Amino acid sequence: MKISDLGEFKLIGRFSKRFLNLPGGTLGIGDDCAVIPTAGESFLVAADMLIEDVHFLKNDISPQDLGYKALAVNLSDIAGMGGIPKYAVLSMALPSSTEVEWVDAFFDGFEKLAKEFDVALIGGDTTRSMNSIAINITILGQAKGQPIKLRSEAQPGDVICVTGNLGDSGAGLKAILEKLPIHSDAEYLIEQHHRPKLYVKEAQWLASHAEVHAMMDVSDGIDSDLHRIMERSRCGASIGLEKLPISKQLKNLATRLDWDLLEMAATAGEDYCLLLTVDHNHFEKLRLEYQRKFNTDLYPIGEITSQLDKLEYTLNGQYHSFSKKGFDHFK
Ligand code: ADP
Ligand code: MG
């Protein structure tokens, strides 16, 4: 059997079974971060890797953007728990022919974001690679005196919401791959793909509210990421596609090029906003407070159901399905 027959998540499930026996209170494989409890606070740990020609094309992303994005995707996993990012460990494999100026520019982007979120680079590894660049970051974070939010706490009846537009990053990637002429819409979408907005502060605020039940970041598209919540919380989900927040830039481009806008919003990955479920009795109040505090919306897109592992889409009341699924590395 090949790993492509299994897929990324069954593969992880297969080996993670060997490591279920953890010291008391430690949360291992299966959420955005591992959680290591200590007196009065928890440490959070996550890792995310970017590989040339898999996650990025060297000629299509500036080294500054790559440095920024490599850290951003890791900060997003700390946000997924509502934690505070603190330290980063960076491992790089580079072909010997890499220009020193390219590496300097990579660190310009990395440092800019690290300063913005007060994250310190404290170690790593640097090695030669034969052909392509590989960047791996391990991020360490903290949750001080407040609960963190897991994927496993969704309850039937919860309102499912997201904190930002869906599909922009996937559309930006498509614009790059299809070498679309750069005009303002495509430029905006490519910018979202390279420099995703992060919801670290918003996530910390949301984590301090008991009415927020489950939370994670959107890295593989809501179609895939909702399955992660459904598996961990043993529930189902129903999504009203007409409710998905979509930018006007994506609407313009998708209309002009006849792209399937809803499929893109539901299945394209790397938007890095938050996906959370909220007690329906408290949703409107929380939404108002969130709008006031952050001057942006908490978008309700559906509801958690008790139908185990069933993800159902409707469009204006009619059932809807997609031929494409959320991102999986091996499928
Ligand atoms: P995310 O998209 O939030 O980064 P993933 O979907 O990549 O999370 O991974 C799912 C879970 O599996 C996470 O808890 C992650 O830490 C864990 N995981 C993935 N790959 C490995 C690995 N090679 N070894 C141990 N844990 C892994
Ligand atoms: Mg994540």
Side-chain angles (χ1 to χ4, degrees):
M1 185 166 53
K2 299 275 178 6
I3 57 176
S4 58
D5 299 322
L6 270 185
E8 178 184 350
F9 300 102
K10 286 204 179 118
L11 181 67
I12 295 170
R14 190 177 162 101
F15 63 73
S16 64
K17 281 199 216 101
R18 300 173 186 229
F19 303 97
L20 294 176
N21 220 343
L22 297 172
T26 302
L27 176 74
I29 295 171
D31 216 301
D32 292 310
C33 297
V35 184
I36 305 163
T38 58
E41 62 178 336
S42 299
F43 288 107
L44 306 174
V45 186
D48 249 311
M49 182 151 65
L50 295 182
I51 304 288
E52 183 176 357
D53 295 332
V54 176
H55 297 92
F56 66 93
L57 300 166
K58 193 177 174 209
N59 290 334
D60 289 325
I61 186 166
S62 70
Q64 290 90 342
D65 282 347
L66 188 65
Y68 187 101
K69 187 165 178 178
L71 182 58
V73 301
N74 279 279
L75 293 177
S76 180
D77 273 328
I78 299 284
M81 316 293 286
I84 306 163
K86 299 295 277 188
Y87 303 104
V89 177
L90 167 65
S91 298
M92 301 191 293
L94 302 168
S96 314
S97 57
T98 309
E99 301 280 335
V100 173
E101 290 74 19
W102 187 95
V103 179
D104 289 344
F106 173 92
F107 279 99
D108 289 342
F110 182 98
E111 185 187 17
K112 179 178 185 294
L113 189 60
K115 286 209 166 120
E116 189 181 330
F117 286 97
D118 212 7
V119 169
L121 179 63
I122 56 162
D125 197 17
T126 304
T127 70
R128 174 168 67 108
S129 91
M130 294 316 289
N131 293 306
S132 46
I133 298 171
I135 311 283
N136 181 66
I137 293 179
T138 299
I139 188 105
L140 300 147
Q142 190 181 31
K144 235 181 184 169
Q146 73 171 37
I148 45 157
K149 297 296 175 184
L150 307 178
R151 297 176 179 181
S152 54
E153 299 296 319
Q155 290 166 28
D158 280 1
V159 177
I160 301 171
C161 30
V162 291
T163 56
N165 289 328
L166 299 173
D168 280 357
S169 178
L173 176 62
K174 200 167 159 67
I176 294 169
L177 295 177
E178 296 186 2
K179 301 198 185 308
L180 294 186
I182 299 302
H183 47 71
S184 58
D185 292 333
E187 203 173 322
Y188 171 84
L189 298 168
I190 291 170
E191 172 79 11
Q192 306 312 303
H193 181 64
H194 287 159
R195 298 204 173 217
K197 172 173 164 48
L198 294 165
Y199 293 87
V200 175
K201 288 276 171 316
E202 290 84 344
Q204 286 165 18
W205 184 86
L206 289 164
S208 71
H209 287 74
E211 57 269 40
V212 174
H213 290 163
M215 187 159 79
M216 67 181 295
D217 71 321
V218 179
S219 56
D220 297 330
I222 57 161
D223 182 76
S224 173
D225 292 331
L226 280 166
H227 277 100
R228 308 285 87 79
I229 288 185
M230 284 161 23
E231 285 157 12
R232 302 285 284 186
S233 300
R234 307 195 57 72
C235 62
S238 172
I239 299 295
L241 292 168
E242 67 286 349
K243 297 184 195 147
L244 301 187
I246 297 176
S247 70
K248 64 175 191 307
Q249 290 85 351
L250 176 52
K251 281 184 189 155
N252 288 343
L253 203 66
T255 309
R256 212 164 48 232
L257 299 173
D258 203 23
W259 288 350
D260 187 336
L261 183 64
L262 294 177
E263 182 173 88
M264 191 163 255
T267 65
E270 299 202 291
D271 282 315
Y272 298 108
C273 62
L274 301 166
L275 172 65
L276 58 148
T277 83
V278 183
D279 183 330
H280 74 280
N281 291 312
H282 300 282
F283 175 70
E284 282 307 332
K285 183 164 172 283
L286 185 82
R287 184 184 192 181
L288 271 176
E289 284 176 31
Y290 183 91
Q291 286 167 338
R292 272 195 217 115
K293 187 155 179 67
F294 297 108
N295 209 15
T296 166
D297 209 350
L298 205 51
Y299 305 94
I301 60 168
E303 188 190 337
I304 293 291
T305 68
S306 53
Q307 289 178 291
L308 200 64
D309 257 353
K310 186 166 191 283
L311 174 54
E312 161 189 287
Y313 292 111
T314 59
L315 180 58
N316 302 316
Q318 304 287 324
Y319 288 110
H320 195 91
S321 64
F322 299 115
S323 51
K324 217 169 156 192
K325 295 277 161 229
F327 185 74
D328 181 309
H329 264 282
F330 304 114
K331 288 273 181 189

